């Protein structure tokens, strides 16, 4: 009765009573009333249910006389939209803009060590980590993790409170960067709100995951990342207070030097990195066509990452306490261990060139290359440290961290969201724009920035302006992407999107497209599918093969092919 090439909208249109089967395996609001434009085979792969079992349950439900419940979205189904939009708002209005402002001020002064810029630098980092990356991770966790575990999100109304708390916290931290008497109090208050948001998020996720029906090897990454998020939430207002209410400027600078390096590593590596490593092992092989991670590689990477982070933090505090540079080198080596764990996973998943067709592939491949670049810059850090007269290689340190934060973390978010958001909204990603403009701008801008930053450690004049230009280019790329994503999240399904069986999408069957749109035969031939004119092949292989599979077999760009088919069918 059911075939693996049928799409979810086709099935729900004919058998609305089977929605409960899809919901049981994690659909729950994904794609709107008609579900996402996915084949049953793709749904089974992504949601890790055997196709045979899925067919059996669908057939049983389709013959049931139970009346289908009317579709109704719950708060848990739409919560991700609020978090994603809030993340975009922080990125565009605060994170990227304060970054450009900060680096421009550095260029004007010709130095990274102007102490009056510290509040702005810290507010920028806070907005990027807790506001942009943090809110996106929280939104995805609320949306995806319950579905991966076949459970519903526990108390979504409490989850919604964490959004309000985090936005208040980030806003207050930004206010703390403005030079006025109450600024330190605003900054500390912002940290307290952020801590409350993180505690709320952790509470909801632990209650949700505790009721999960599936246990996975990558769960340990999620729990470790969640623990690091909570610890960083506790430390945020404490460190902010220690620095902002220090007795004098020298003590404030000393505390900044002691606390901020391990604190940022806790946020960027232990929280954001481990969460992405864990979720990546779940979604990249199933939804994006990368190779699955073998158990021994998964375990080795986890041990490397955790041990590396422990050595990193312990070594840094030992160095600050004793002044012995061998401890600083131990801390440096610990960070290398973390990067090695990430690269091990990247090579295992074939992240540098693998992945299925679609616009997400270039973003995800690029993110892994940026992880490699971050590792190379960090390996070179001792050299730049030996060449600088400033006592610390600020340029090389910043280059490595921007390779990681903007290159790896942000590019991975962009790549995953480029597919996930259209699917959640019920649109076909293959029919969306390729997003080449933001991809080029962000990568080129980041390359200018990280390529020029270490040169400042070598006392080369004028490089700060190259860094500033790169920062502006990156911000412009994020702006283009952010506006598109904002509109996509708010876009309503048109009648042609709502279970239109004649619509052409990446998961349409080749023979079905030709049956409904015979005028597209010319496009098939132009793209090299001349054998489709053979009636035997068309009615055998052609009735089992999707456009996605056909393009992968001939190494043809899926997005270009679907667009050409749509353009030809529109001429009819």
């Amino acid at each position: 009765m059911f075939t693996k090439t049928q799409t979810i909208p086709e099935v729900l249109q004919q058998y609305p009573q089977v929605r409960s089967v899809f919901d049981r395996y994690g659909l729950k609001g994904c794609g709107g009333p008609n579900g996402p434009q996915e084949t049953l085979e793709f749904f089974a792969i992504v949601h890790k249910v055997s196709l045979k079992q899925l067919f059996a349950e669908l057939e049983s439900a389709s013959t049931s006389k139970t009346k289908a419940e009317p579709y109704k979205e719950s708060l848990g189904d739409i919560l991700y939209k609020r978090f994603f939009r809030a993340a975009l708002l922080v990125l565009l209005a605060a994170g990227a803009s304060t970054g450009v402002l900060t680096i421009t001020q550095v260029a004007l002064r010709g130095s990274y060590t102007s102490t009056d810029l510290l509040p702005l630098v810290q507010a920028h980092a806070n907005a990027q980590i807790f506001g942009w990356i943090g809110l996106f991770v929280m939104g995805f966790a609320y949306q995806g993790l319950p579905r991966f575990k076949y459970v519903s999100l526990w108390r979504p109304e409490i989850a919604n409170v964490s959004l309000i708390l985090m936005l208040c916290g980030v806003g207050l931290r930004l206010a703390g960067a403005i030079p006025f008497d109450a600024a330190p109090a605003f900054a500390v208050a912002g940290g307290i709100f952020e801590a409350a948001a993180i505690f709320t998020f952790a509470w909801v996720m632990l209650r949700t995951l505790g009721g999960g029906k599936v246990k996975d090897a990558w769960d340990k990454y999620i729990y470790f990342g969640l623990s690091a998020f909570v610890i960083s939430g506790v430390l945020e207002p404490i460190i902010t207070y220690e620095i902002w209410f220090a007795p004098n400027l020298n003590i404030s600078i000393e505390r900044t030097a002691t606390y901020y390096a391990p604190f940022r590593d806790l946020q960027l590596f232990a929280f954001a990195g481990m969460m992405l490593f864990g979720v990546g092992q779940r979604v990249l092989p199933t939804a994006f066509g990368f190779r699955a991670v073998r158990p021994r590689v998964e375990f080795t990477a986890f041990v490397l990452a955790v041990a590396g982070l422990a050595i990193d933090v312990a070594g840094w505090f030992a160095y600050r306490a004793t002044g012995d540079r061998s401890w600083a080198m131990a801390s440096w080596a610990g960070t290398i261990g973390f990067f090695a764990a990430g690269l091990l996973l990247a090579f295992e998943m074939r992240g540098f060139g693998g992945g299925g067709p679609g616009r997400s592939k270039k973003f995800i491949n690029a993110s892994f290359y940026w992880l490699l670049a971050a590792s190379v810059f960090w390996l070179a850090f001792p050299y730049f440290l030996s060449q600088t007269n400033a006592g610390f290689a600020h340029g090389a340190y910043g280059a490595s961290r921007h390779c990681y934060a903007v290159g790896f973390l942000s590019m991975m978010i962009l790549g995953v969201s480029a597919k996930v958001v259209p699917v959640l909204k019920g649109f076909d990603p293959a029919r969306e724009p390729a997003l080449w403009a933001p991809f080029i701008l962000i990568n080129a801008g980041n390359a200018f920035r990280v390529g020029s930053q270490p040169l400042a450690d070598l006392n080369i004049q004028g490089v700060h302006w190259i860094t500033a230009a790169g920062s502006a280019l990156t911000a412009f790329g994020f702006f283009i992407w952010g506006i598109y994503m904002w509109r996509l999240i708010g876009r309503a399904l048109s009648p042609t999107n709502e279970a239109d069986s004649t619509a052409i999408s990446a998961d349409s069957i080749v023979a079905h497209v030709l049956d409904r749109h015979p005028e597209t035969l010319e496009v098939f031939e132009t793209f090299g599918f001349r054998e489709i004119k053979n009636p035997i092949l068309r009615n055998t292989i052609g009735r089992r093969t999707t456009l996605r599979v056909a393009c992968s077999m001939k190494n043809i760009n899926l997005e270009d092919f679907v667009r050409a088919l749509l353009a030809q069918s529109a001429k009819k």
Side-chain angles (χ1 to χ4, degrees), residues 307-394:
L309 290 169
I311 293 170
D312 169 21
V313 174
W316 181 258
F317 280 118
Y319 162 63
R320 295 296 299 175
T322 65
D324 186 346
R325 281 186 172 268
S326 61
W327 285 115
M329 291 304 296
S331 176
W332 171 82
T335 306
I336 293 295
F338 175 81
F339 283 140
L343 292 174
L344 178 61
L345 292 173
F347 280 108
E348 176 70 3
M349 288 189 280
R350 295 178 178 169
F352 298 102
R359 62 181 184 166
S360 293
K361 173 180 165 63
K362 59 181 175 288
F363 287 96
I364 296 173
N365 289 157
S367 75
F368 284 122
Y369 276 107
W370 280 115
L371 178 63
L372 178 61
S375 307
V376 171
F377 273 113
W378 193 242
L379 280 169
F381 180 78
Y383 167 75
F384 288 102
L385 186 63
S386 69
Q387 299 299 308
T388 184
N389 297 322
F392 186 77
H394 293 278

Side-chain angles (χ1 to χ4, degrees), residues 376-439:
V376 171
F377 273 113
W378 193 242
L379 280 169
F381 180 78
Y383 167 75
F384 288 102
L385 186 63
S386 69
Q387 299 299 308
T388 184
N389 297 322
F392 186 77
H394 293 278
Y397 182 87
S400 178
R401 291 305 185 265
H402 274 89
C403 280
Y404 178 81
V406 177
F408 172 60
L409 294 179
S410 292
M411 290 298 286
M412 183 65 73
I413 288 174
L414 267 60
V416 170
S417 63
K419 184 169 188 175
V420 168
V421 174
V423 168
L424 291 175
K425 290 287 296 179
F427 300 111
D428 182 0
R431 300 174 71 175
E432 295 295 318
L435 299 176
W436 276 107
F439 175 79

Side-chain angles (χ1 to χ4, degrees), residues 27-112:
L27 186 68
K28 294 183 179 177
C30 176
N34 299 296
Q37 296 290 333
E38 298 174 353
T39 63
L40 296 186
E41 180 181 34
F42 187 77
F43 177 86
I45 292 172
V46 171
H47 293 267
K48 291 200 168 184
V49 55
S50 75
L51 205 54
K52 183 178 179 181
Q53 181 178 345
L54 180 63
F55 285 169
E57 294 188 34
L58 287 173
E59 288 173 8
S60 175
S62 66
T63 57
S64 172
K65 295 182 179 180
T66 303
K67 187 177 180 181
E69 292 288 332
Y71 174 78
K72 184 179 179 181
E73 284 185 331
S74 68
L75 178 59
D77 296 331
I78 63 172
L79 204 53
Y80 77 93
K81 300 178 187 178
R82 301 178 182 182
F83 277 85
F84 286 6
R85 275 191 157 180
L88 293 173
L89 185 65
V90 172
L91 171 67
L92 301 182
S97 58
T98 56
V100 173
L101 178 61
T102 301
I103 205 66
T104 301
Q105 288 294 316
V106 168
L108 287 169
R109 301 168 190 212
S111 172
Y112 285 109

Side-chain angles (χ1 to χ4, degrees), residues 193-411:
F193 271 92
E194 289 172 340
I198 293 168
F199 293 159
T200 305
F201 169 71
W203 180 30
V204 172
M205 290 312 304
L206 289 173
R207 290 296 300 265
T208 300
L209 297 176
K213 301 175 183 178
V214 181
K215 304 299 179 185
D216 296 286
W218 51 267
D219 288 352
K220 64 175 77 72
Y221 287 81
I222 304 301
Y223 285 114
F224 186 90
L226 195 60
S227 300
F229 199 22
V230 171
I231 295 171
S232 65
V234 172
L235 292 177
E236 172 64 39
I238 296 174
I239 292 176
T240 302
Y241 177 84
E242 286 290 306
I243 291 171
W244 286 66
F245 287 91
N248 56 59
L249 180 60
N250 288 334
I251 293 177
S252 177
I253 294 172
E254 185 72 14
R255 289 176 178 176
T256 299
T258 299
Y259 298 141
Y260 261 102
F263 180 57
R264 294 301 181 214
D265 288 356
L266 180 69
Q267 292 176 308
L268 290 170
F269 300 152
F271 159 55
M274 293 297 276
M275 291 291 278
L276 261 66
F277 289 166
V279 173
Q281 292 179 66
R282 174 62 176 82
V283 302
L284 294 185
T286 56
F288 295 90
F290 290 86
R291 189 170 70 174
V293 177
R294 290 168 291 178
R296 70 172 181 272
V297 176
E298 172 273 319
F299 181 76
T300 302
F302 181 78
V303 172
L304 262 176
V306 173
L309 290 169
I311 293 170
D312 169 21
V313 174
W316 181 258
F317 280 118
Y319 162 63
R320 295 296 299 175
T322 65
D324 186 346
R325 281 186 172 268
S326 61
W327 285 115
M329 291 304 296
S331 176
W332 171 82
T335 306
I336 293 295
F338 175 81
F339 283 140
L343 292 174
L344 178 61
L345 292 173
F347 280 108
E348 176 70 3
M349 288 189 280
R350 295 178 178 169
F352 298 102
R359 62 181 184 166
S360 293
K361 173 180 165 63
K362 59 181 175 288
F363 287 96
I364 296 173
N365 289 157
S367 75
F368 284 122
Y369 276 107
W370 280 115
L371 178 63
L372 178 61
S375 307
V376 171
F377 273 113
W378 193 242
L379 280 169
F381 180 78
Y383 167 75
F384 288 102
L385 186 63
S386 69
Q387 299 299 308
T388 184
N389 297 322
F392 186 77
H394 293 278
Y397 182 87
S400 178
R401 291 305 185 265
H402 274 89
C403 280
Y404 178 81
V406 177
F408 172 60
L409 294 179
S410 292
M411 290 298 286

Side-chain angles (χ1 to χ4, degrees), residues 125-145:
N126 183 271
Q128 289 292 80
I129 297 171
F130 278 169
W132 155 235
I133 295 172
L135 285 170
F136 230 104
V137 169
M138 291 166 73
F140 187 89
Y142 283 145
Q143 174 69 23
L145 292 182

